[in-house]
Structure formats: C-alpha cells, structure tokens
Amino acid sequence: MDNNSERMRDIEKMAVLGNLLAGIGHELRTPLSAIISNNDSFERSCKRVTDILARVVEKLDSTSRNELNEILENIENINESNKAATRHMLAVLNALRNFSRGDDVKMVRTDVNECLKTTLTIAGHELKGRIDVDANYGDIPMIMGNPNQLTQVFMNIIINSAQAIAANGKISIKTVKADDDVVVKIADDGNG
C-alpha cells in the first residue's frame, strides 16, 4: 500500500471516528443534562428539608440530632460529588465534540493551551491512576492553526508517552513563548 492510499485510509477512519464520537456525545448529553437538572432540584429540596428540620431539631434527643446531622451531611457530600462528576462528564463530552469536528475548522486563531487541555481530557482514561501529568501552561499568544489537527498531534504524542511508560510514571508538558514562536515541550519518563 502506498503512502497516499494509507493516508486516505487514515483520513476515512478519522472521519468515521469523528462521526461516531459526535453521535455518542449527543446521545450522552441529553441524559446528562437531565441528571444535572435533577441534581439541582434535589439540592433545592434538601435545603428546604434542612430548613424545616432546623425548626424541630431542638425537640430531638442528642443521639437523634447527631444522627440527623450526619445524614444531612452525607446527603450534602453526595450531592457535591454528583456535581463534580457531572462537570467532569460535561468536560469530556465537550472535548469529544471539539475533537470530533475533524477538519471542519481550517486555520483560525487557536489557543494551544486549550488544545492541550482538550487532549488531556480525552486521554484521561489512558493516564488515570498510573501517570501523573505536570502541565505548566505558559502565558502564550494565540496562533493561526487548526485546533483539531493540533489536538490530534498532541493526542498521538500523549498516547505514545503513556504507552512508553511501563508502570507508573510522569508526563511533563510545558508551553512557552520564544520570540515570536510558541513552543510546546512534552517529555515522559518512560523507556521510549
């Protein structure tokens, strides 16, 4: 297979993957929005119950009062955990949506730091629990570029770095302005 045929096959695969990711993202966004809305309603309802209970809590014995306070604290912690989880899920869905747009966007003003953040959100499952990421995003100017292509390049580098690390390790990312250029430095402590 020659290079042009291989490149065309890769482009077709990326287009299919982009469409698949866009469809999955759309399918997940609707139930996630319902969960977020329900969580907000739940939080408001818990606040109302807490306000009502505050008026009667003085009539309870200390054991019951402590038990009630513990239950209310657990409910509040669960709600905070749910909010954090849904924010993370939205970030992943947004990153997938941006990534799946493929070549829809041509050369535009692009924030390289945002491309790297999107990459890390998408690649998070490859890194989680095994690889620490030390990201040092510098104060860099926007550049003219294709954010989807940049994200794809960063994705390839990050995944290659993750695969080069046999067990636990570290990937370091640094962006800096050097004269009129933006420089991205990515290093890992793997064997690659």
PDB file of all heavy atoms in Angstrom, residues 151-183:
ATOM      1  N   THR A 151      -4.803  19.188  18.249  1.00  0.00           N
ATOM      2  CA  THR A 151      -5.244  18.254  19.275  1.00  0.00           C
ATOM      3  C   THR A 151      -4.899  16.821  18.878  1.00  0.00           C
ATOM      4  O   THR A 151      -4.461  16.027  19.716  1.00  0.00           O
ATOM      5  CB  THR A 151      -6.752  18.420  19.541  1.00  0.00           C
ATOM      6  OG1 THR A 151      -6.999  19.760  19.970  1.00  0.00           O
ATOM      7  CG2 THR A 151      -7.245  17.449  20.596  1.00  0.00           C
ATOM      8  N   GLN A 152      -5.053  16.495  17.613  1.00  0.00           N
ATOM      9  CA  GLN A 152      -4.711  15.144  17.130  1.00  0.00           C
ATOM     10  C   GLN A 152      -3.215  14.871  17.291  1.00  0.00           C
ATOM     11  O   GLN A 152      -2.823  13.788  17.740  1.00  0.00           O
ATOM     12  CB  GLN A 152      -5.124  14.974  15.667  1.00  0.00           C
ATOM     13  CG  GLN A 152      -4.811  13.601  15.095  1.00  0.00           C
ATOM     14  CD  GLN A 152      -5.552  12.489  15.802  1.00  0.00           C
ATOM     15  OE1 GLN A 152      -6.742  12.566  15.988  1.00  0.00           O
ATOM     16  NE2 GLN A 152      -4.843  11.450  16.217  1.00  0.00           N
ATOM     17  N   VAL A 153      -2.388  15.852  16.963  1.00  0.00           N
ATOM     18  CA  VAL A 153      -0.939  15.687  17.123  1.00  0.00           C
ATOM     19  C   VAL A 153      -0.598  15.481  18.597  1.00  0.00           C
ATOM     20  O   VAL A 153       0.144  14.567  18.967  1.00  0.00           O
ATOM     21  CB  VAL A 153      -0.182  16.907  16.548  1.00  0.00           C
ATOM     22  CG1 VAL A 153       1.286  16.893  16.965  1.00  0.00           C
ATOM     23  CG2 VAL A 153      -0.303  16.936  15.028  1.00  0.00           C
ATOM     24  N   PHE A 154      -1.156  16.348  19.461  1.00  0.00           N
ATOM     25  CA  PHE A 154      -0.892  16.220  20.898  1.00  0.00           C
ATOM     26  C   PHE A 154      -1.405  14.876  21.425  1.00  0.00           C
ATOM     27  O   PHE A 154      -0.771  14.246  22.272  1.00  0.00           O
ATOM     28  CB  PHE A 154      -1.525  17.373  21.687  1.00  0.00           C
ATOM     29  CG  PHE A 154      -0.941  18.727  21.356  1.00  0.00           C
ATOM     30  CD1 PHE A 154      -1.742  19.857  21.361  1.00  0.00           C
ATOM     31  CD2 PHE A 154       0.403  18.876  21.050  1.00  0.00           C
ATOM     32  CE1 PHE A 154      -1.212  21.105  21.067  1.00  0.00           C
ATOM     33  CE2 PHE A 154       0.944  20.120  20.756  1.00  0.00           C
ATOM     34  CZ  PHE A 154       0.130  21.239  20.759  1.00  0.00           C
ATOM     35  N   MET A 155      -2.554  14.426  20.916  1.00  0.00           N
ATOM     36  CA  MET A 155      -3.121  13.141  21.327  1.00  0.00           C
ATOM     37  C   MET A 155      -2.148  12.007  21.001  1.00  0.00           C
ATOM     38  O   MET A 155      -1.873  11.143  21.842  1.00  0.00           O
ATOM     39  CB  MET A 155      -4.456  12.896  20.618  1.00  0.00           C
ATOM     40  CG  MET A 155      -5.107  11.580  20.975  1.00  0.00           C
ATOM     41  SD  MET A 155      -5.829  11.610  22.597  1.00  0.00           S
ATOM     42  CE  MET A 155      -7.121  12.790  22.340  1.00  0.00           C
ATOM     43  N   ASN A 156      -1.607  12.026  19.790  1.00  0.00           N
ATOM     44  CA  ASN A 156      -0.656  10.985  19.394  1.00  0.00           C
ATOM     45  C   ASN A 156       0.570  10.989  20.299  1.00  0.00           C
ATOM     46  O   ASN A 156       1.043   9.933  20.738  1.00  0.00           O
ATOM     47  CB  ASN A 156      -0.235  11.167  17.933  1.00  0.00           C
ATOM     48  CG  ASN A 156      -1.363  10.888  16.961  1.00  0.00           C
ATOM     49  OD1 ASN A 156      -2.355  10.255  17.302  1.00  0.00           O
ATOM     50  ND2 ASN A 156      -1.230  11.393  15.750  1.00  0.00           N
ATOM     51  N   ILE A 157       1.082  12.176  20.607  1.00  0.00           N
ATOM     52  CA  ILE A 157       2.278  12.276  21.446  1.00  0.00           C
ATOM     53  C   ILE A 157       1.979  11.793  22.868  1.00  0.00           C
ATOM     54  O   ILE A 157       2.746  11.015  23.450  1.00  0.00           O
ATOM     55  CB  ILE A 157       2.820  13.722  21.456  1.00  0.00           C
ATOM     56  CG1 ILE A 157       3.327  14.101  20.067  1.00  0.00           C
ATOM     57  CG2 ILE A 157       3.929  13.881  22.499  1.00  0.00           C
ATOM     58  CD1 ILE A 157       3.637  15.581  19.896  1.00  0.00           C
ATOM     59  N   ILE A 158       0.853  12.234  23.438  1.00  0.00           N
ATOM     60  CA  ILE A 158       0.493  11.864  24.815  1.00  0.00           C
ATOM     61  C   ILE A 158       0.250  10.357  24.916  1.00  0.00           C
ATOM     62  O   ILE A 158       0.718   9.702  25.861  1.00  0.00           O
ATOM     63  CB  ILE A 158      -0.740  12.658  25.310  1.00  0.00           C
ATOM     64  CG1 ILE A 158      -0.452  14.157  25.340  1.00  0.00           C
ATOM     65  CG2 ILE A 158      -1.224  12.143  26.657  1.00  0.00           C
ATOM     66  CD1 ILE A 158       0.619  14.587  26.318  1.00  0.00           C
ATOM     67  N   ILE A 159      -0.474   9.790  23.965  1.00  0.00           N
ATOM     68  CA  ILE A 159      -0.742   8.343  23.987  1.00  0.00           C
ATOM     69  C   ILE A 159       0.566   7.569  23.810  1.00  0.00           C
ATOM     70  O   ILE A 159       0.799   6.575  24.504  1.00  0.00           O
ATOM     71  CB  ILE A 159      -1.778   7.944  22.910  1.00  0.00           C
ATOM     72  CG1 ILE A 159      -3.127   8.593  23.192  1.00  0.00           C
ATOM     73  CG2 ILE A 159      -1.911   6.424  22.817  1.00  0.00           C
ATOM     74  CD1 ILE A 159      -3.755   8.228  24.513  1.00  0.00           C
ATOM     75  N   ASN A 160       1.434   8.030  22.925  1.00  0.00           N
ATOM     76  CA  ASN A 160       2.739   7.377  22.768  1.00  0.00           C
ATOM     77  C   ASN A 160       3.536   7.450  24.061  1.00  0.00           C
ATOM     78  O   ASN A 160       4.189   6.477  24.460  1.00  0.00           O
ATOM     79  CB  ASN A 160       3.531   8.008  21.620  1.00  0.00           C
ATOM     80  CG  ASN A 160       3.015   7.609  20.258  1.00  0.00           C
ATOM     81  OD1 ASN A 160       2.260   6.647  20.124  1.00  0.00           O
ATOM     82  ND2 ASN A 160       3.390   8.360  19.253  1.00  0.00           N
ATOM     83  N   SER A 161       3.493   8.605  24.727  1.00  0.00           N
ATOM     84  CA  SER A 161       4.190   8.754  26.006  1.00  0.00           C
ATOM     85  C   SER A 161       3.623   7.783  27.031  1.00  0.00           C
ATOM     86  O   SER A 161       4.373   7.126  27.762  1.00  0.00           O
ATOM     87  CB  SER A 161       4.072  10.184  26.524  1.00  0.00           C
ATOM     88  OG  SER A 161       4.829  11.062  25.748  1.00  0.00           O
ATOM     89  N   ALA A 162       2.306   7.702  27.101  1.00  0.00           N
ATOM     90  CA  ALA A 162       1.664   6.804  28.065  1.00  0.00           C
ATOM     91  C   ALA A 162       2.052   5.352  27.798  1.00  0.00           C
ATOM     92  O   ALA A 162       2.295   4.583  28.725  1.00  0.00           O
ATOM     93  CB  ALA A 162       0.143   6.972  28.012  1.00  0.00           C
ATOM     94  N   GLN A 163       2.134   4.988  26.532  1.00  0.00           N
ATOM     95  CA  GLN A 163       2.499   3.618  26.179  1.00  0.00           C
ATOM     96  C   GLN A 163       3.973   3.335  26.448  1.00  0.00           C
ATOM     97  O   GLN A 163       4.356   2.187  26.686  1.00  0.00           O
ATOM     98  CB  GLN A 163       2.151   3.345  24.716  1.00  0.00           C
ATOM     99  CG  GLN A 163       0.654   3.301  24.481  1.00  0.00           C
ATOM    100  CD  GLN A 163       0.285   3.241  23.007  1.00  0.00           C
ATOM    101  OE1 GLN A 163       1.105   3.459  22.128  1.00  0.00           O
ATOM    102  NE2 GLN A 163      -0.990   2.970  22.741  1.00  0.00           N
ATOM    103  N   ALA A 164       4.801   4.379  26.459  1.00  0.00           N
ATOM    104  CA  ALA A 164       6.227   4.204  26.725  1.00  0.00           C
ATOM    105  C   ALA A 164       6.510   4.013  28.213  1.00  0.00           C
ATOM    106  O   ALA A 164       7.583   3.556  28.584  1.00  0.00           O
ATOM    107  CB  ALA A 164       7.017   5.403  26.192  1.00  0.00           C
ATOM    108  N   ILE A 165       5.532   4.355  29.050  1.00  0.00           N
ATOM    109  CA  ILE A 165       5.697   4.222  30.495  1.00  0.00           C
ATOM    110  C   ILE A 165       5.143   2.860  30.894  1.00  0.00           C
ATOM    111  O   ILE A 165       3.944   2.612  30.787  1.00  0.00           O
ATOM    112  CB  ILE A 165       4.977   5.369  31.234  1.00  0.00           C
ATOM    113  CG1 ILE A 165       5.593   6.707  30.833  1.00  0.00           C
ATOM    114  CG2 ILE A 165       5.041   5.156  32.738  1.00  0.00           C
ATOM    115  CD1 ILE A 165       4.833   7.928  31.327  1.00  0.00           C
ATOM    116  N   ALA A 166       6.023   1.981  31.350  1.00  0.00           N
ATOM    117  CA  ALA A 166       5.638   0.597  31.632  1.00  0.00           C
ATOM    118  C   ALA A 166       4.667   0.483  32.799  1.00  0.00           C
ATOM    119  O   ALA A 166       3.688  -0.239  32.729  1.00  0.00           O
ATOM    120  CB  ALA A 166       6.880  -0.248  31.901  1.00  0.00           C
ATOM    121  N   ALA A 167       4.928   1.155  33.875  1.00  0.00           N
ATOM    122  CA  ALA A 167       4.054   1.065  35.055  1.00  0.00           C
ATOM    123  C   ALA A 167       3.572   2.470  35.393  1.00  0.00           C
ATOM    124  O   ALA A 167       2.790   3.030  34.654  1.00  0.00           O
ATOM    125  CB  ALA A 167       4.799   0.426  36.214  1.00  0.00           C
ATOM    126  N   ASN A 168       4.034   2.993  36.503  1.00  0.00           N
ATOM    127  CA  ASN A 168       3.685   4.354  36.886  1.00  0.00           C
ATOM    128  C   ASN A 168       4.755   5.305  36.390  1.00  0.00           C
ATOM    129  O   ASN A 168       5.924   4.942  36.294  1.00  0.00           O
ATOM    130  CB  ASN A 168       3.553   4.465  38.408  1.00  0.00           C
ATOM    131  CG  ASN A 168       2.396   3.646  38.922  1.00  0.00           C
ATOM    132  OD1 ASN A 168       1.433   3.404  38.209  1.00  0.00           O
ATOM    133  ND2 ASN A 168       2.493   3.205  40.157  1.00  0.00           N
ATOM    134  N   GLY A 169       4.345   6.526  36.088  1.00  0.00           N
ATOM    135  CA  GLY A 169       5.316   7.487  35.589  1.00  0.00           C
ATOM    136  C   GLY A 169       4.762   8.887  35.526  1.00  0.00           C
ATOM    137  O   GLY A 169       3.733   9.203  36.121  1.00  0.00           O
ATOM    138  N   LYS A 170       5.462   9.703  34.752  1.00  0.00           N
ATOM    139  CA  LYS A 170       5.124  11.119  34.690  1.00  0.00           C
ATOM    140  C   LYS A 170       5.288  11.630  33.264  1.00  0.00           C
ATOM    141  O   LYS A 170       6.247  11.266  32.574  1.00  0.00           O
ATOM    142  CB  LYS A 170       6.043  11.898  35.633  1.00  0.00           C
ATOM    143  CG  LYS A 170       5.795  13.375  35.673  1.00  0.00           C
ATOM    144  CD  LYS A 170       6.730  14.026  36.690  1.00  0.00           C
ATOM    145  CE  LYS A 170       6.541  15.516  36.729  1.00  0.00           C
ATOM    146  NZ  LYS A 170       7.464  16.141  37.690  1.00  0.00           N
ATOM    147  N   ILE A 171       4.342  12.463  32.864  1.00  0.00           N
ATOM    148  CA  ILE A 171       4.442  13.194  31.606  1.00  0.00           C
ATOM    149  C   ILE A 171       4.471  14.675  31.972  1.00  0.00           C
ATOM    150  O   ILE A 171       3.627  15.145  32.738  1.00  0.00           O
ATOM    151  CB  ILE A 171       3.255  12.894  30.665  1.00  0.00           C
ATOM    152  CG1 ILE A 171       3.254  11.429  30.247  1.00  0.00           C
ATOM    153  CG2 ILE A 171       3.297  13.813  29.441  1.00  0.00           C
ATOM    154  CD1 ILE A 171       2.034  11.009  29.422  1.00  0.00           C
ATOM    155  N   SER A 172       5.462  15.381  31.431  1.00  0.00           N
ATOM    156  CA  SER A 172       5.583  16.813  31.669  1.00  0.00           C
ATOM    157  C   SER A 172       5.238  17.565  30.396  1.00  0.00           C
ATOM    158  O   SER A 172       5.694  17.201  29.306  1.00  0.00           O
ATOM    159  CB  SER A 172       7.010  17.174  32.099  1.00  0.00           C
ATOM    160  OG  SER A 172       7.354  16.507  33.289  1.00  0.00           O
ATOM    161  N   ILE A 173       4.422  18.602  30.564  1.00  0.00           N
ATOM    162  CA  ILE A 173       4.019  19.429  29.430  1.00  0.00           C
ATOM    163  C   ILE A 173       4.313  20.877  29.805  1.00  0.00           C
ATOM    164  O   ILE A 173       3.977  21.321  30.906  1.00  0.00           O
ATOM    165  CB  ILE A 173       2.519  19.274  29.121  1.00  0.00           C
ATOM    166  CG1 ILE A 173       2.190  17.825  28.783  1.00  0.00           C
ATOM    167  CG2 ILE A 173       2.100  20.211  27.994  1.00  0.00           C
ATOM    168  CD1 ILE A 173       0.703  17.536  28.689  1.00  0.00           C
ATOM    169  N   LYS A 174       4.923  21.588  28.877  1.00  0.00           N
ATOM    170  CA  LYS A 174       5.233  22.992  29.138  1.00  0.00           C
ATOM    171  C   LYS A 174       5.036  23.783  27.857  1.00  0.00           C
ATOM    172  O   LYS A 174       5.469  23.347  26.780  1.00  0.00           O
ATOM    173  CB  LYS A 174       6.679  23.132  29.628  1.00  0.00           C
ATOM    174  CG  LYS A 174       7.058  24.542  30.001  1.00  0.00           C
ATOM    175  CD  LYS A 174       8.444  24.584  30.616  1.00  0.00           C
ATOM    176  CE  LYS A 174       8.730  26.009  31.092  1.00  0.00           C
ATOM    177  NZ  LYS A 174      10.014  26.100  31.764  1.00  0.00           N
ATOM    178  N   THR A 175       4.363  24.919  27.970  1.00  0.00           N
ATOM    179  CA  THR A 175       4.234  25.823  26.835  1.00  0.00           C
ATOM    180  C   THR A 175       4.912  27.134  27.193  1.00  0.00           C
ATOM    181  O   THR A 175       4.787  27.623  28.317  1.00  0.00           O
ATOM    182  CB  THR A 175       2.759  26.075  26.458  1.00  0.00           C
ATOM    183  OG1 THR A 175       2.065  26.622  27.583  1.00  0.00           O
ATOM    184  CG2 THR A 175       2.072  24.809  26.005  1.00  0.00           C
ATOM    185  N   VAL A 176       5.653  27.662  26.229  1.00  0.00           N
ATOM    186  CA  VAL A 176       6.367  28.924  26.439  1.00  0.00           C
ATOM    187  C   VAL A 176       6.333  29.746  25.158  1.00  0.00           C
ATOM    188  O   VAL A 176       6.163  29.216  24.062  1.00  0.00           O
ATOM    189  CB  VAL A 176       7.840  28.694  26.862  1.00  0.00           C
ATOM    190  CG1 VAL A 176       7.925  28.028  28.225  1.00  0.00           C
ATOM    191  CG2 VAL A 176       8.603  27.909  25.829  1.00  0.00           C
ATOM    192  N   LYS A 177       6.524  31.045  25.350  1.00  0.00           N
ATOM    193  CA  LYS A 177       6.677  31.952  24.216  1.00  0.00           C
ATOM    194  C   LYS A 177       8.170  32.157  24.022  1.00  0.00           C
ATOM    195  O   LYS A 177       8.887  32.464  24.971  1.00  0.00           O
ATOM    196  CB  LYS A 177       5.986  33.286  24.509  1.00  0.00           C
ATOM    197  CG  LYS A 177       6.052  34.265  23.368  1.00  0.00           C
ATOM    198  CD  LYS A 177       5.330  35.554  23.736  1.00  0.00           C
ATOM    199  CE  LYS A 177       5.248  36.531  22.601  1.00  0.00           C
ATOM    200  NZ  LYS A 177       6.495  36.949  22.019  1.00  0.00           N
ATOM    201  N   ALA A 178       8.644  31.934  22.815  1.00  0.00           N
ATOM    202  CA  ALA A 178      10.052  32.135  22.486  1.00  0.00           C
ATOM    203  C   ALA A 178      10.113  33.050  21.268  1.00  0.00           C
ATOM    204  O   ALA A 178       9.793  32.628  20.155  1.00  0.00           O
ATOM    205  CB  ALA A 178      10.737  30.804  22.211  1.00  0.00           C
ATOM    206  N   ASP A 179      10.469  34.288  21.503  1.00  0.00           N
ATOM    207  CA  ASP A 179      10.456  35.319  20.457  1.00  0.00           C
ATOM    208  C   ASP A 179       9.032  35.414  19.895  1.00  0.00           C
ATOM    209  O   ASP A 179       8.107  35.675  20.630  1.00  0.00           O
ATOM    210  CB  ASP A 179      11.496  35.025  19.371  1.00  0.00           C
ATOM    211  CG  ASP A 179      12.915  35.043  19.920  1.00  0.00           C
ATOM    212  OD1 ASP A 179      13.201  35.894  20.783  1.00  0.00           O
ATOM    213  OD2 ASP A 179      13.723  34.193  19.492  1.00  0.00           O
ATOM    214  N   ASP A 180       8.876  35.132  18.614  1.00  0.00           N
ATOM    215  CA  ASP A 180       7.537  35.191  18.005  1.00  0.00           C
ATOM    216  C   ASP A 180       6.889  33.815  17.892  1.00  0.00           C
ATOM    217  O   ASP A 180       5.863  33.656  17.240  1.00  0.00           O
ATOM    218  CB  ASP A 180       7.617  35.822  16.607  1.00  0.00           C
ATOM    219  CG  ASP A 180       7.959  37.297  16.665  1.00  0.00           C
ATOM    220  OD1 ASP A 180       7.642  37.939  17.698  1.00  0.00           O
ATOM    221  OD2 ASP A 180       8.545  37.825  15.693  1.00  0.00           O
ATOM    222  N   ASP A 181       7.502  32.825  18.513  1.00  0.00           N
ATOM    223  CA  ASP A 181       7.013  31.456  18.395  1.00  0.00           C
ATOM    224  C   ASP A 181       6.381  30.978  19.701  1.00  0.00           C
ATOM    225  O   ASP A 181       6.666  31.494  20.770  1.00  0.00           O
ATOM    226  CB  ASP A 181       8.171  30.509  18.046  1.00  0.00           C
ATOM    227  CG  ASP A 181       8.787  30.811  16.697  1.00  0.00           C
ATOM    228  OD1 ASP A 181       8.041  31.207  15.779  1.00  0.00           O
ATOM    229  OD2 ASP A 181      10.014  30.665  16.561  1.00  0.00           O
ATOM    230  N   VAL A 182       5.530  29.982  19.563  1.00  0.00           N
ATOM    231  CA  VAL A 182       5.002  29.256  20.710  1.00  0.00           C
ATOM    232  C   VAL A 182       5.675  27.896  20.699  1.00  0.00           C
ATOM    233  O   VAL A 182       5.705  27.213  19.673  1.00  0.00           O
ATOM    234  CB  VAL A 182       3.465  29.100  20.620  1.00  0.00           C
ATOM    235  CG1 VAL A 182       2.949  28.127  21.666  1.00  0.00           C
ATOM    236  CG2 VAL A 182       2.789  30.458  20.759  1.00  0.00           C
ATOM    237  N   VAL A 183       6.238  27.503  21.834  1.00  0.00           N
ATOM    238  CA  VAL A 183       6.957  26.235  21.935  1.00  0.00           C
ATOM    239  C   VAL A 183       6.204  25.330  22.912  1.00  0.00           C
ATOM    240  O   VAL A 183       5.828  25.764  24.006  1.00  0.00           O
ATOM    241  CB  VAL A 183       8.404  26.453  22.417  1.00  0.00           C
ATOM    242  CG1 VAL A 183       9.120  25.114  22.580  1.00  0.00           C
ATOM    243  CG2 VAL A 183       9.154  27.364  21.463  1.00  0.00           C
TER     244      VAL A 183
END
